[in-house]
Amino acid sequence: MRPLLALAALSFGLASAQTPGVLTIRFLDVGQGDAVLVTSPEGKSLLYDGGRSETRMQVLLKKYGVQSLDLIVASHGDADHITGLIPAVTLFKPKFFLNNGIAATTQTWSRLTQAAQQAGTQGLLARNQVINLGSVKVTVLPPPPGMPRDEQNVNSVGLLVQYGTFRLLMTGDSETPETQAWLKTYPASFLGPVDVYKSIHHGAANGDHLAWLQAVRPRNVVIGVGENNYGHPTAQALDLYKRMGAAIYRTDLNGTVTVTVQPGGKYAIAVERGPAVPKAATPATPPVSSPTRPTPATPLYRSCAEARAAGAAPLRRGQPGYNPALDRDGDGTACE
Amino acid sequence: MPPETPEPVLTGLLTVDAIEGGLARVELEDGSVEDWPLASLPRGVQEGDVLRLHVEAGDLTVEIDHAATRERRHTAQAQLDALNVVPPAGEIDL
């Protein structure tokens, strides 16, 4: 059996199990839309967007053995991102619903907020904040001030997910005005490099652009895309990703794309089906999407004062900069 | 001779979910979503607009229902604001 097929078979075999001790990220094959399921080593889960079909999401939640959800996130209010959140919130009654604070006028949006209300799920208006999904650090990138409130895409909520040295960045359907504002808000060292990056807006022409990607420096790009009338993903976006030397995964060709991250940050990427994905060709950086990828150096804080000054405290085991010497009670959290 | 049965007049509402290039993704009254050519919708239509359809004698007219749009925005925003009340301070541990 060829290695890729073996990998795919392995992926099917483990479909309904959460591998203990690792962070699992699934870019779900929801057709044209986005839905990303993130499960921490402790079994805490978040669903970032839900795709455009309630039925399909129910099937996928069952297929991947989801037992609970702690947080759902609507990057923005478009139907191809929020529809599947309705059964998710109804079934699992997550504690929080993170959103951009701008209501859509569709019935789909109204049903989602009603379902959240009935489930007792608390809304969270996106702001500069950190949400700890167990030992996984999730940093919220709220829409920058000044974005027009009548345009959902440019008010997309982003998430930076960190576990050890591993970094995942997702920014919904944001467009150039929003990413330009984020470039002014965040230092390049915050935005990139990232090991895995969710393509903006399914590879639309108005999403990713060179200046943004030069800051993000994605090693692997996953495009949530299905049959569509919009021309997604565009040749323009695909060319940009290739220019960045990133390996490209597509849910329309590869099915659900699963990333497993070991403590420390080493990761592997498995596809459900489809052609082999060539490794990223960046001569200046180490190979990507390899389970044996070397772990880059992490900032190691010498004191809690230093960690606090950097805005990094408290530090949990598995997060960049965690230093066991500062974890005096050995409970996995330093500089409490 | 009995009077001729008048042709039914069809009406309905659409909601513009998103505009993608030359297409508008619209939500029908049954909640399903379709892509319509933007050119078939009123000039100046925007995301979130509620559109009123009117079919009479085989002719389709579509117009923006500004009052319905305002009402939908107001109601939906109130629902969301109620949900988003009392944000927890500091980091959130799940």
Side-chain angles (χ1 to χ4, degrees):
Chain A
M1 186 181 282
R2 293 167 56 198
L4 179 70
L5 292 177
L7 196 58
L10 182 67
S11 176
F12 275 122
L14 296 176
S16 61
Q18 160 69 18
T19 309
V22 303
L23 163 65
T24 304
I25 301 158
R26 295 188 195 277
F27 293 84
L28 300 172
D29 177 15
V30 292
Q32 174 69 11
D34 272 342
V36 185
L37 177 66
V38 180
T39 306
S40 79
E42 299 80 12
K44 301 284 184 180
S45 290
L46 75 81
L47 182 61
Y48 180 79
D49 290 335
R52 63 175 177 174
S53 164
E54 293 185 55
T55 305
R56 196 154 180 167
M57 178 53 67
Q58 285 174 313
V59 168
L60 289 165
L61 290 170
K62 188 174 181 183
K63 176 177 180 177
Y64 293 115
V66 175
Q67 302 294 316
S68 64
L69 279 177
D70 300 281
L71 168 68
I72 60 166
V73 185
S75 67
H76 64 297
D78 285 358
D80 58 332
H81 291 252
I82 63 165
T83 307
L85 293 178
I86 298 170
V89 75
T90 302
L91 285 168
F92 295 114
K93 298 179 171 47
K95 191 170 182 183
F96 293 115
F97 165 37
L98 181 65
N99 61 81
N100 67 4
I102 302 173
T105 58
T106 55
Q107 298 173 68
T108 306
W109 175 267
S110 180
R111 289 178 54 228
L112 173 59
T113 52
Q114 285 173 16
Q117 187 182 31
Q118 286 169 6
T121 298
Q122 181 176 338
L124 277 182
L125 176 61
R127 59 188 174 88
N128 291 306
Q129 67 192 141
V130 169
I131 301 172
N132 295 304
L133 191 69
S135 57
V136 178
K137 181 180 181 181
V138 179
T139 304
V140 178
L141 282 68
M147 295 295 112
R149 287 184 62 86
D150 57 354
E151 293 181 31
Q152 283 283 345
N153 284 358
V154 294
N155 285 283
S156 288
V157 177
L159 293 184
L160 175 67
V161 177
Q162 294 171 269
Y163 183 57
T165 58
F166 174 85
R167 290 157 54 88
L168 157 71
L169 181 63
M170 307 185 285
T171 58
D173 279 0
S174 50
E175 297 177 6
T176 303
E178 184 173 30
T179 48
Q180 281 180 331
W182 275 333
L183 282 172
K184 292 175 184 168
T185 306
Y186 301 109
S189 59
F190 171 82
L191 294 171
V194 297
D195 299 290
V196 179
Y197 174 65
K198 188 200 76 66
S199 164
I200 291 182
H201 199 178
H202 328 291
N206 60 1
D208 283 301
H209 56 95
L210 187 59
W212 171 250
L213 288 177
Q214 283 175 333
V216 171
R217 290 170 284 160
R219 295 181 172 122
N220 299 277
V221 175
V222 184
I223 309 172
V225 67
E227 187 179 341
N228 68 88
N229 300 317
Y230 320 122
H232 298 164
T234 59
Q236 186 180 337
L238 292 171
D239 285 346
L240 274 172
Y241 304 146
K242 288 173 187 167
R243 282 179 67 181
M244 299 307 299
I248 301 169
Y249 298 82
R250 298 171 47 157
T251 57
D252 58 342
L253 301 179
N254 299 124
T256 292
V257 177
T258 302
V259 184
T260 50
V261 188
Q262 303 294 329
K266 290 180 183 174
Y267 64 96
I269 301 177
V271 297
E272 185 179 27
R273 64 171 185 272
V277 177
K279 286 184 177 179
T282 46
T285 55
V288 296
S289 70
S290 162
T292 57
R293 185 179 65 89
T295 302
T298 59
L300 202 63
Y301 299 105
R302 289 166 295 182
S303 69
C304 286
E306 194 175 286
R308 289 190 187 99
L315 284 158
R316 287 172 175 75
R317 186 179 292 128
Q319 290 180 342
Y322 170 81
N323 182 350
L326 303 179
D327 186 1
R328 290 175 186 165
D329 54 5
D331 67 347
T333 304
C335 306
E336 292 163 269
Chain B
M1 185 172 159
E4 192 174 328
T5 306
E7 189 172 344
V9 175
L10 299 176
T11 61
L13 292 178
L14 296 178
T15 309
V16 180
D17 173 56
I19 294 174
E20 302 268 7
L23 294 172
R25 191 167 58 237
V26 297
E27 182 189 66
L28 311 186
E29 284 185 287
D30 66 359
S32 63
V33 173
E34 293 181 354
D35 293 321
W36 285 35
L38 194 56
S40 68
L41 302 181
R43 188 171 303 204
V45 68
Q46 293 183 320
E47 291 182 357
D49 280 346
V50 177
L51 307 177
R52 189 168 293 280
L53 297 181
H54 189 83
V55 181
E56 188 169 14
D59 291 330
L60 167 68
T61 57
V62 185
E63 59 184 2
I64 302 171
D65 189 331
H66 293 288
T69 302
R70 277 194 299 272
E71 173 61 23
R72 284 267 191 98
R73 283 195 196 283
H74 177 77
T75 304
Q77 193 62 50
Q79 284 176 334
L80 181 60
D81 291 345
L83 206 61
N84 280 347
V85 75
V86 197
E91 292 190 11
I92 296 173
D93 292 316
L94 295 176

